[in-house]
């Protein structure tokens, strides 16, 4: 754990009574390094450490614990606080279908997540779900969602000759008619710098008034996460985030960046390729992983 | 960062932010900054020379390689295995490569060896049609290694000079999936001992430091020979390429700059480094 790295650094400060800017400087440097290696964004690390420092300075040294361990505990606690309370709740519609919009960069795991979410809502909440294949651009994207829909036992909506905003609007109308409780809109992957596609997804949002708008992000995302997530949050009122591929060995610092930049809860995490591979997000499990 | 002549704290801080933001990584960034300061003090950077230009030149030099875009076989088909983690851009890259090879007068064949993921075979089939190249595929759920084997055999029989094998995305920490890839390699070698001639690891430019681990493990287990960095048309810089080159000796052969067949470019270290400081 990270505190072992500090042991030698903090040997020098054994005689002190309180945590001071001086005796935590070296420790914070090591924390900074660990967070950057974990892919937490540079600007997020900077602001996070400023907060940790102001919280830590003046704290009385705890007996039986080195200043190193103490500062790491402050970092750990602040990280947990930043990650927020576990919140996998979805805002259910008071009448008519609950609409969930999934958006994100190419390859982040949206289509697979749409199917996993359908599976979870059917199983755990006994909801009747309609999946909507609104990716008109990727070859065989519709087939992909249809195949997954079959595996989940959930209908997949698609209509030819319609652009995504109109297609999604018709899907919601169809769900209302058909009595489905939830509509999950799977959209095409897009770059946050692609103006036309960002406008398109904003239009999908305008036409369908989703109850939940979730950004789907790959756990291995690096520094660019702040650029893309800020842009998506500007164009769409994100209500939450889903982080995928956490079954890999990426440290997952993107989780911290997302919490800091988007400020919305991480609702679920993807932990396998299978359809039951979607779990609620538990912040405490990831703080240690991120700190390394 | 404007043209600078003096290394002051402000310059170093700005430079550090730029390098870190490009996913160059904290260790490599520290090394670059320390090296820059050392050379400056040693007078290796000429008075008045633009320090940034000096740094760009040294980064370019690190990434440059005396490497052909593909290691073409002297005779018989060239077999290229395309691997990487889920969603990196392998299938699209295979399509783009096939299109490019056809444009330069070669006769490629693509193999749909992702027999696992929903509609993976359909996805490559659509691409093969658009790129107007032949495709060898199996049944969904079938043996992926068998598809690779059949593709090499088909290329030999039909006189195709390049076989591009698309594989299923897999996280490198999944031992059973990595073993499956190793098995595919052995099966290909059975058919053609000198194959695969190239094993290209596809890395997503938006990936952070984990990309270095991906490169390490894929190289260790199935012998990666080169990299493709995709999605460089976004704002991610793919700076991990510098560490991967330094630690594993792997060079970038191509970059992906979009979702269309034409959106593949041979790697240009100059443009890559310029983009980091743009
Ligand atoms: N191991 C693992 N793989 C995942 C997870 N989520 C998605 N994947 C895989 O990641 C790859 C990309 O998933 P997709 O669902 O096609 O991603 P997408 O965002 O819809 O892609 P585009 O529509 O092209 O933007 C596929 O191989 C999925 O099986 C996860 O949580 N764990
Ligand atoms: N903008 C952009 N998108 C890309 C690029 N390369 C691939 N993509 C997109 O990334 C997404 C995933 O691409 P795929 O080719 O399906 O990736 P993959 O590695 O084969 O995915 P799996 O087989 O599921 O592991 C698709 O939406 C592609 O269009 C690129 O260079 N730029
Ligand atoms: Mg998709
Ligand atoms: Mg693929």
């Amino acid at each position: 754990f990270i505190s072992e790295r500090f042991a030698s650094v903090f040997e020098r400060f054994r005689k002190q009574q309180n945590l001071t800017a001086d005796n935590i400087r070296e420790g914070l440097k090591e924390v900074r390094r660990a967070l950057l290696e974990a892919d937490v964004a540079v600007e997020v690390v900077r602001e996070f450490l400023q907060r940790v420092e102001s919280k830590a300075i003046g704290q009385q040294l705890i007996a039986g614990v080195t200043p190193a361990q103490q500062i790491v505990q402050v970092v750990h606690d602040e990280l947990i606080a930043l990650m927020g309370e576990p919140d996998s709740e979805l805002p259910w519609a008071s009448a008519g279908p609950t609409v969930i919009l999934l958006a994100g960069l190419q390859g982040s795991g949206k289509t697979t997540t749409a199917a996993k979410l359908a599976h979870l809502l059917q199983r755990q909440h006994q909801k009747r779900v309609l999946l909507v294949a609104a990716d008109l651009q990727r070859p065989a994207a519709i087939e992909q969602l249809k195949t997954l829909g079959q595996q989940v036992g959930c209908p997949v909506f698609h209509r030819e000759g319609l652009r995504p905003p109109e297609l999604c609007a018709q899907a919601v109308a169809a769900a209302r008619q058909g009595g489905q409780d939830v509509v999950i809109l799977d959209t095409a992957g897009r770059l946050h710098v692609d103006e036309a596609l960002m406008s398109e997804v904003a239009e999908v949002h305008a036409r369908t008034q989703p109850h939940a708008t979730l950004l789907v992000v790959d756990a291995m995302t690096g520094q660019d996460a702040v650029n893309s997530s800020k842009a998506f949050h500007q164009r769409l009122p994100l209500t939450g985030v889903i982080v995928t591929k956490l079954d890999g060995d990426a440290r997952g610092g993107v989780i911290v960046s997302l919490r800091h930049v988007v400020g919305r809860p991480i609702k679920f995490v993807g932990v396998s390729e299978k359809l039951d591979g979607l779990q609620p997000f538990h912040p405490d499990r990831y703080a240690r992983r991120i700190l390394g | 960062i404007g043209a600078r002549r003096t290394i002051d704290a402000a310059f170093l801080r700005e430079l550090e932010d730029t390098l870190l933001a490009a996913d160059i990584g904290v260790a490599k960034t520290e090394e670059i900054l320390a090296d820059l300061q050392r050379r400056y003090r040693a007078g290796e950077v000429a008075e008045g020379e633009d320090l940034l230009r000096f740094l760009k030149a040294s980064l370019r030099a690190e990434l440059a390689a005396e490497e052909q875009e593909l290691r073409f076989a002297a005779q018989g088909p060239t077999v290229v295995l395309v691997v990487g983690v889920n969603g990196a851009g392998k299938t699209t890259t295979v399509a783009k490569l096939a299109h490019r090879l056809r444009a330069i007068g070669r006769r490629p064949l693509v193999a749909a060896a992702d027999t696992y993921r929903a509609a993976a075979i359909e996805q490559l089939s659509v691409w093969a049609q658009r790129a107007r190249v032949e495709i060898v595929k199996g049944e969904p759920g079938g043996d992926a290694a068998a598809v690779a084997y059949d593709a090499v055999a088909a290329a030999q029989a039909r006189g195709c000079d390049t076989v591009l094998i698309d594989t299923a995305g897999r996280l490198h920490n999944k031992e059973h999936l990595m073993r499956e890839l190793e098995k595919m390699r052995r099966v290909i070698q059975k058919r053609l001992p000198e194959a695969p001639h190239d094993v290209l690891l596809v890395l997503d430019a938006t990936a952070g430091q984990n990309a270095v681990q991906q490169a390490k493990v894929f190289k260790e287990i199935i012998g990666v020979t080169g990299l493709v960095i995709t999605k460089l048309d976004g704002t991610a810089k793919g700076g991990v390429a510098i560490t991967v080159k330094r630690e594993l000796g792997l060079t970038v052969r191509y970059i992906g700059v979009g979702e269309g067949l034409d959106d593949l470019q041979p790697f240009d270290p100059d443009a890559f480094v310029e983009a980091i400081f743009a």
Side-chain angles (χ1 to χ4, degrees):
Chain A
F1 192 41
I2 194 178
S3 44
E4 280 127 33
R5 284 160 86 162
F6 303 141
S8 55
V9 164
F10 280 86
E11 267 314 299
R12 315 206 280 278
F13 299 118
R14 277 199 167 285
K15 306 243 183 51
Q16 304 187 328
Q17 294 284 13
N18 295 333
L19 290 181
T20 65
D22 255 0
N23 66 19
I24 63 174
R25 187 184 323 263
E26 285 302 310
L28 287 184
K29 236 201 237 147
E30 283 301 318
V31 173
R32 177 177 182 271
R33 211 161 200 282
L35 293 176
L36 288 173
E37 281 171 354
D39 291 324
V40 181
V42 177
E43 66 186 69
V44 175
V45 173
R46 188 163 27 238
E47 292 175 34
F48 176 73
L49 291 182
Q50 277 171 1
R51 194 155 75 232
V52 165
E53 189 167 12
S54 55
K55 270 252 161 76
I57 286 180
Q59 249 189 34
Q60 222 186 341
L61 289 181
I62 299 170
V65 170
T66 67
Q69 288 166 326
Q70 193 165 339
I71 194 70
V72 169
Q73 193 55 49
V74 176
V75 169
H76 183 266
D77 294 347
E78 277 306 298
L79 211 54
I80 301 267
L82 172 61
M83 308 249 248
E85 284 304 309
D87 172 9
S88 296
E89 286 308 309
L90 288 171
W92 302 114
S94 45
T98 298
V99 181
I100 302 174
L101 170 63
L102 299 182
L105 296 175
Q106 288 89 348
S108 63
K110 300 172 292 299
T111 303
T112 313
T113 298
K116 288 178 181 180
L117 196 51
H119 175 76
L120 187 150
L121 295 178
Q122 282 179 163
R123 258 264 218 82
Q124 291 183 14
H125 301 266
Q126 286 76 46
K127 299 289 180 191
R128 292 183 53 203
V129 184
L130 179 67
L131 283 166
V132 182
D135 178 354
L136 308 182
Q137 106 104 9
R138 167 173 156 156
I142 298 162
E143 281 88 328
Q144 185 186 5
L145 193 61
K146 283 192 171 161
T147 302
L148 293 174
Q150 261 182 353
Q151 291 173 9
V152 172
C154 166
V156 177
F157 181 95
H158 183 71
R159 240 165 234 176
E160 287 298 317
L162 300 174
R163 294 302 307 159
E166 179 59 27
L167 192 162
C168 291
Q170 291 195 13
V172 175
R176 192 164 282 125
Q177 287 245 313
Q180 266 117 358
D181 310 302
V182 183
V183 180
I184 300 175
L185 308 172
D186 178 27
T187 62
R190 67 202 67 226
L191 293 178
H192 54 292
V193 290
D194 185 328
E195 182 47 39
L197 286 185
M198 290 305 282
S199 298
E200 181 186 88
V201 74
E203 209 194 327
V204 168
H205 188 277
R207 295 292 310 275
T208 59
Q209 298 297 308
H211 303 82
T213 301
L214 308 174
L215 184 67
V216 179
V217 180
D218 193 322
M220 66 186 87
T221 309
Q223 296 289 320
D224 194 57
V226 288
N227 300 324
S228 50
S229 59
K230 261 187 206 157
F232 272 94
H233 197 35
Q234 277 172 353
R235 302 304 294 272
L236 294 171
L238 298 176
T239 61
V241 178
I242 297 181
V243 179
T244 62
K245 308 176 203 171
L246 273 165
D247 44 325
D249 59 11
R251 294 266 289 274
V254 68
I255 289 173
V256 179
S257 305
L258 286 166
R259 284 291 304 162
H260 187 90
V261 166
V262 174
R264 295 285 180 268
I266 291 169
K267 295 286 187 179
F268 299 100
V269 291
V271 293
S272 92
E273 258 184 291
K274 309 229 199 62
L275 292 176
D276 59 0
L278 194 70
Q279 288 175 3
F281 173 65
H282 294 293
D284 43 324
R285 291 185 201 167
Y286 294 98
R288 293 211 140 221
R289 174 175 176 157
I290 290 167
L291 282 175
Chain B
I1 307 181
R4 298 288 183 103
R5 299 173 181 198
T6 345
I7 298 192
D8 57 8
F11 175 75
L12 284 176
R13 195 165 25 246
E14 214 180 328
L15 191 53
E16 186 187 39
D17 275 2
T18 302
L19 296 175
L20 288 173
D23 284 315
I24 285 182
V26 63
K28 186 67 189 158
T29 296
E30 282 175 2
E31 183 192 316
I32 289 171
L33 295 179
D35 184 57
L36 192 65
Q37 290 180 76
R38 185 178 51 78
R39 286 174 185 247
Y40 179 70
R41 287 191 206 111
E44 283 179 41
V45 187
E47 184 55 49
E49 178 178 356
D50 182 359
L51 282 175
L52 196 55
R53 195 152 29 89
F54 177 84
L55 174 58
K56 284 182 189 176
S58 53
L59 286 179
R60 236 188 345 264
E62 271 206 63
L63 288 169
E66 284 304 313
E67 177 84 69
Q68 248 199 316
E69 64 180 75
L70 278 181
R71 296 181 183 179
F72 294 110
Q75 57 185 15
T78 296
V79 179
V80 181
L81 190 57
V82 178
V83 303
V85 301
N86 307 70
K90 301 174 292 300
T91 304
T92 312
T93 296
V94 165
K96 293 172 181 177
L97 259 173
H99 175 76
R100 177 180 174 81
L101 290 171
R102 201 164 167 280
I104 61 175
R106 292 182 71 92
R107 195 175 148 214
L109 173 154
V110 300
D114 175 357
T115 55
Y116 173 73
R117 207 210 67 212
I121 299 169
E122 287 89 321
Q123 185 186 6
L124 189 61
S125 301
V126 173
W127 278 124
Q129 231 175 11
R130 291 186 191 178
R132 296 199 271 138
V133 296
E134 303 175 49
I135 179 170
V136 166
K137 47 185 155 172
E139 285 305 311
D143 181 3
V147 176
Y149 184 95
D150 290 347
V152 178
Q156 289 169 320
R158 302 177 207 174
C160 292
D161 54 30
T162 328
V163 184
L164 303 171
I165 306 175
D166 183 24
T167 62
R170 69 203 68 223
L171 297 178
H172 52 287
N173 58 325
K174 308 244 163 142
E175 287 196 34
H176 61 294
L177 296 182
M178 295 307 287
R179 261 182 275 129
E180 177 190 272
L181 200 52
E182 194 183 16
K183 171 187 161 205
M184 184 184 290
R185 190 198 168 108
R186 275 184 275 122
V187 164
I188 292 168
Q189 277 176 323
K190 269 215 203 101
R191 183 71 204 183
L192 191 60
E194 59 273 21
H197 302 84
D198 248 333
V199 177
L200 299 182
L201 174 66
V202 178
L203 294 177
D204 190 326
T206 66
Q209 297 311 304
N210 190 250
V212 179
Q213 190 58 16
Q214 292 171 27
K216 271 205 184 99
V217 176
F218 272 92
K219 177 164 189 264
E220 219 169 282
I221 298 187
I222 49 120
V224 171
T225 55
L227 310 171
V228 177
I229 300 188
T230 60
K231 308 178 197 172
L232 276 170
D233 46 322
T235 50
K237 308 296 185 191
V240 289
I242 296 175
T243 302
V244 174
K245 172 95 200 300
R246 175 60 85 80
E247 293 190 10
L248 304 169
L250 292 172
T251 62
V252 181
R253 307 289 191 75
Y254 300 98
I255 62 169
V257 290
E259 299 187 75
L261 284 176
D262 285 311
D263 297 326
L264 186 76
Q265 296 170 1
F267 183 60
D268 173 3
D270 204 349
F272 187 83
V273 171
E274 282 299 320
I276 289 175
F277 296 95

